[in-house]
Amino acid sequence: MVYSKIKSIMSATASAKNFSNLQTFFLVALRMLLGWYFLYEGLIKIANPDWSSFGYLMDSQGICRNFFQSMAANANVLATVDFLNKWGLAFIGLGLIAGLFTRLALFFGLLLLTLYYCSHPPLASVTYLMPQEGSYLWVNKTLIEILVMAVLMVFPTGHIVGIDRLLEKRSKK
C-alpha cells in the first residue's frame, strides 16, 4: 500500500518534470542520504560536550588560514562557531531528509562545506597536523559534496518528495 502510494507520487512528479522514476528515485535518495550524513555529524557533535572546532580551525592552511585561526583564538567567536556548526549540521540534515526548506538547507550546506574546503584545501604543499583520509590534489570529498549539493539545488527534490511538496500544494489552494 505505502509502496504503491510512493510509486504513484514519484510517477506523477517524474512525468511532470520529465524525470524517469529511476531518476526521481536516485535524486531523492541522494538528497536523503546527504541529509543523514549531515544530521548524524551534527548530532554526534551535539552529544559530545567536549567537542570543539578549535583543533580543526587552528590546523587550517592555505590563504584563509589567518581567518580561521583568528576565529579559534577568540573564545566567544569559537563558542559561536561551535554552536552554529553543530546545530547547522543537524538542521541542514533534517531539512534534507524531510524535504523541508530544501533549497535553504542546500544553500547553508554549500556555505558550510565551502568554509570546510577553504579551511583545509587539498594542496600538495600543505601538511596538516590532524590525520587526513588520503592524499588529494585540489579534489577531495568536501569538493565532491559541494558539487552534489549544487546538483541537488538545480533539481527541486523537496518538491518531488518532501514537505516542500505539501507546502507548495497548500499555498496553491
Side-chain angles (χ1 to χ4, degrees), residues 2-26 28 159-161 165 169:
V2 173
Y3 175 75
S4 63
K5 181 69 174 167
I6 291 171
K7 188 174 178 183
S8 69
I9 290 171
M10 289 176 67
S11 180
T13 307
S15 62
K17 301 286 185 188
N18 296 323
F19 301 142
S20 72
N21 287 343
L22 193 59
Q23 289 170 319
T24 303
F25 172 79
F26 281 116
V28 172
H159 294 274
I160 295 172
V161 175
R165 177 183 168 91
K169 281 184 175 182

Side-chain angles (χ1 to χ4, degrees), residues 38-52 82-83 85-87 89-90:
F38 271 75
L39 176 62
Y40 185 76
E41 284 291 322
L43 292 177
I44 217 68
K45 288 170 178 54
I46 291 166
N48 181 356
D50 296 326
W51 181 86
S52 174
D82 287 350
F83 177 85
N85 194 44
K86 292 188 272 194
W87 289 98
L89 285 166

